[in-house]
Amino acid sequence: MNAGGGGTAPHVGANSSSSLGNSSLLATTPKATTMPMAQLADGWLELESDPGLFTLLLEDFGCHDVQVEEVYDLQKPIESPYGFIFLFRWIEERRARRKIVETTAEIFVKDEEAISSIFFAQQVVPNSCATHALLSVLLNCNENNLQLGDTLSRLKAHTKGMSPENKGLAIGNTPELACAHNSHAMPQARRRLERTGAGVSSCRFTGEAFHFVSFVPINGQLFELDGLKPYPMNHGGWEDHEDWTDKFRRVMAERLGIATGEQDIRFNLMAVVPDRRIAITHKLKMLRTNQAIVSGTLQKLLKADEQGEAGNGDSQRPDTPTTLLEPSAFTARDLQSLLKNLDTEIAINEQHLADENDRRHMFKVDASRRTHNYDKFICTFLSMLAHQGVLGELVSQHLLPSKKISGQSAANRMNKQTSGTANTGATAAGAGATPKSQQQQAVAAAKNGKSPNKTPGRRRKGRNKCRKRK
């Protein structure tokens, strides 16, 4: 589902703005160009829920070892995910949803020390929930397993110990994040922002607002981080024999209503995972190393066999030391079979690596098509059609379908009449009648006062017989 994630942001008070003060992230960013806070806060655009878009957005943030994949089946295992991003239809919490609000309030984490120990930021900037969801996953991961890059590393170090509201202000006050975010938005998002003027998602007024949230494992607990909530939500831990993704599947099944059958299909689920190309490249390196070892061992074994046959046939095979394989443990046929399997594995992984590179290339192609403004092209194309005098005809063909349908029905009626006349003439010719005899019959019928086209029915024939008998 390619739905734009907007959502509304809570009200930002004057105290929270002043608390950020001069210690904003811009002061510690030497390459950042200072931009007004109001311009940054009011200029964030809606983004589509697309894994390619999120992957390229991560690269723009400076995090190159991560990618985003779409999840189609919850039961399918996912290899070492960092977290999940969930897009759902956002409904404002009113009294009609009091039960849901009370259930959510039970899992709120309100301890200030626990909140400050994790990265949880409130969404104080409208339309920034896509970036918030990504940062909630990345900045809660172990730095040893993930290279964040300069921008995200500075943001994490600068916001350590801040309140969730000030963390949200720090995100909105980072021009690198805002520029990277807006560079992947469609031109329609910019027009909607200019039309509404307030920077709030336009779909909110139509009742179809969508919102991004994150699910990440932190200290053995599954957390749900929603920037529109006042606190992070702790869904609890998982069993010792389970993975944290098993706990996530149960939470999502309950959230989506899969168990009860009341499932809402208007959602999208994506996983933040390591870059697949890194694992494939590492596996290819190991396979090629093993290929070199097996190939060298096979050559030494064949050379030793040749030397043994050339010398004394009864003499023992000389020792040929190798790094990993002993020639006496394998025959030449075994090594050839092993080498063939390695060649096959290398070819398969090379194809997988090529597929991943092609996929990244298509991400960039789709991004250029998504963000390109086609307005000038469409206007120029229409003006050329009008200059050539064919625009009016095309418009009349496509905007007036009723006339076209009525013309087709009239043509069909004419064709039916023509075919009926042809069939009548064919029947008369088959009975041996000629046009001249038909005219004579018509004249005689007119003299007798009878209609030439009408033939007497059964009732008239019966009356004529009765008159003759009388």
Side-chain angles (χ1 to χ4, degrees):
M1 172 184 290
N2 291 331
T8 57
H11 177 70
V12 183
N15 295 332
S16 59
S17 300
S18 60
S19 61
L20 195 62
N22 297 327
S23 61
S24 64
L25 185 61
L26 295 175
T28 61
T29 308
K31 297 182 181 180
T33 57
T34 305
M35 298 175 64
M37 181 62 186
Q39 183 178 353
L40 283 176
D42 294 338
W44 290 64
L45 305 177
E46 296 178 10
L47 294 184
E48 288 185 343
S49 177
D50 183 75
L53 185 152
F54 277 70
T55 301
L56 296 179
L57 184 58
L58 288 173
E59 293 182 358
D60 293 341
F61 288 165
C63 191
H64 298 280
D65 297 338
V66 189
Q67 70 181 41
V68 180
E69 294 181 350
E70 195 161 5
V71 179
Y72 299 100
D73 187 5
L74 275 175
Q75 304 304 322
K76 184 178 179 180
I78 301 173
E79 185 179 355
S80 60
Y82 294 120
F84 292 93
I85 297 176
F86 179 53
L87 175 75
F88 63 97
R89 189 168 65 93
W90 182 78
I91 303 174
E92 190 173 358
E93 296 176 349
R94 300 180 184 272
R95 293 183 178 180
R97 304 178 70 248
R98 184 180 299 173
K99 293 182 179 180
I100 301 178
V101 175
E102 291 177 354
T103 304
T104 306
E106 293 178 356
I107 59 177
F108 277 154
V109 177
K110 300 182 180 180
D111 186 11
E112 294 183 0
E113 293 183 1
I115 295 175
S116 61
S117 63
I118 65 176
F119 185 87
F120 172 69
Q122 290 184 358
Q123 183 184 335
V124 298
V125 178
N127 299 328
S128 62
C129 57
T131 296
H132 270 261
L134 281 174
L135 296 181
S136 296
V137 174
L138 298 176
L139 299 186
N140 284 299
C141 292
N142 190 358
E143 294 182 357
N144 298 327
N145 301 329
L146 183 64
Q147 295 181 0
L148 296 176
D150 294 338
T151 302
L152 298 186
S153 297
R154 287 197 305 268
L155 178 65
K156 185 175 183 179
H158 177 75
T159 58
K160 186 176 182 180
M162 281 187 179
S163 64
E165 193 173 4
N166 285 338
K167 289 179 181 177
L169 287 171
I171 293 175
N173 202 21
T174 306
E176 293 93 341
L177 300 181
C179 294
H181 178 102
N182 290 343
S183 65
H184 295 279
M186 296 187 300
Q188 292 87 339
R190 172 67 65 181
R191 288 194 290 267
R192 283 196 296 266
L193 179 65
E194 294 174 353
R195 185 171 61 251
T196 56
V200 182
S201 174
S202 59
C203 53
R204 174 175 178 256
F205 301 102
T206 60
E208 292 294 330
F210 290 85
H211 181 57
F212 291 102
V213 298
S214 302
F215 289 87
V216 289
I218 302 175
N219 299 326
Q221 305 289 319
L222 178 62
F223 277 82
E224 179 182 352
L225 305 179
D226 185 352
L228 298 183
K229 300 290 185 182
Y231 305 101
M233 289 171 281
N234 186 0
H235 290 280
W238 50 91
E239 301 294 336
D240 295 336
H241 62 278
E242 290 182 331
D243 189 67
W244 75 272
T245 54
D246 297 327
K247 175 67 176 180
F248 170 75
R249 290 187 182 95
R250 291 195 296 270
V251 173
M252 287 304 301
E254 182 179 359
R255 174 74 62 86
L256 298 176
I258 296 177
T260 59
E262 300 176 356
Q263 184 176 358
D264 187 4
I265 62 174
R266 290 172 294 183
F267 72 92
N268 190 21
L269 183 62
M270 296 180 292
V272 183
V273 296
D275 191 350
R276 302 300 185 194
R277 297 176 298 177
I278 298 176
I280 296 174
T281 303
H282 180 67
K283 188 175 181 180
L284 272 175
K285 185 178 180 180
M286 293 181 59
L287 289 172
R288 285 167 179 162
T289 302
N290 294 336
Q291 182 188 35
I293 293 174
V294 173
S295 179
T297 304
L298 179 61
Q299 291 178 2
K300 291 180 180 180
L301 181 60
L302 295 176
K303 185 177 180 181
D305 290 341
E306 292 176 357
Q307 291 177 356
E309 292 177 357
N312 187 4
D314 297 334
S315 61
Q316 292 184 348
R317 182 186 301 167
D319 259 348
T320 54
T322 58
T323 55
L324 293 179
L325 298 178
E326 289 295 334
S328 59
F330 299 92
T331 63
R333 182 175 298 178
D334 294 337
L335 292 178
Q336 289 175 352
S337 177
L338 181 59
L339 190 61
K340 185 177 180 181
N341 293 335
L342 287 173
D343 293 339
T344 303
E345 287 292 327
I346 289 174
I348 292 174
N349 283 273
E350 286 178 346
Q351 184 61 42
H352 290 169
L353 183 60
D355 293 341
E356 289 293 330
N357 289 328
D358 292 341
R359 188 182 176 192
R360 289 296 182 98
H361 175 69
M362 288 307 301
F363 285 168
K364 296 179 181 179
V365 172
D366 293 339
S368 62
R369 292 172 178 172
R370 184 190 304 110
T371 57
H372 183 71
N373 191 355
Y374 291 91
D375 292 345
K376 294 182 179 180
F377 164 74
I378 294 172
C379 293
T380 305
F381 183 70
L382 292 177
S383 62
M384 291 176 63
L385 291 177
H387 182 71
Q388 295 176 3
V390 296
L391 181 61
E393 183 180 355
L394 293 174
V395 171
S396 62
Q397 290 179 1
H398 293 279
L399 296 185
L400 301 175
S402 59
K403 293 185 178 181
K404 187 176 180 181
I405 294 173
S406 62
Q408 290 180 354
S409 60
N412 294 333
R413 287 197 300 270
M414 292 292 292
N415 293 332
K416 289 181 180 179
Q417 292 177 359
T418 306
S419 61
T421 305
N423 294 333
T424 304
T427 305
T434 61
K436 187 175 181 180
S437 62
Q438 290 178 2
Q439 291 178 1
Q440 293 175 356
Q441 291 176 2
V443 172
K447 290 180 179 180
N448 295 331
K450 297 179 181 180
S451 175
N453 295 329
K454 294 183 179 179
T455 57
R458 292 182 180 179
R459 185 176 299 178
R460 185 172 297 178
K461 287 182 179 180
R463 291 176 180 176
N464 294 334
K465 289 180 180 180
C466 292
R467 289 175 183 175
K468 289 179 181 179
R469 289 176 184 175
K470 290 180 179 179

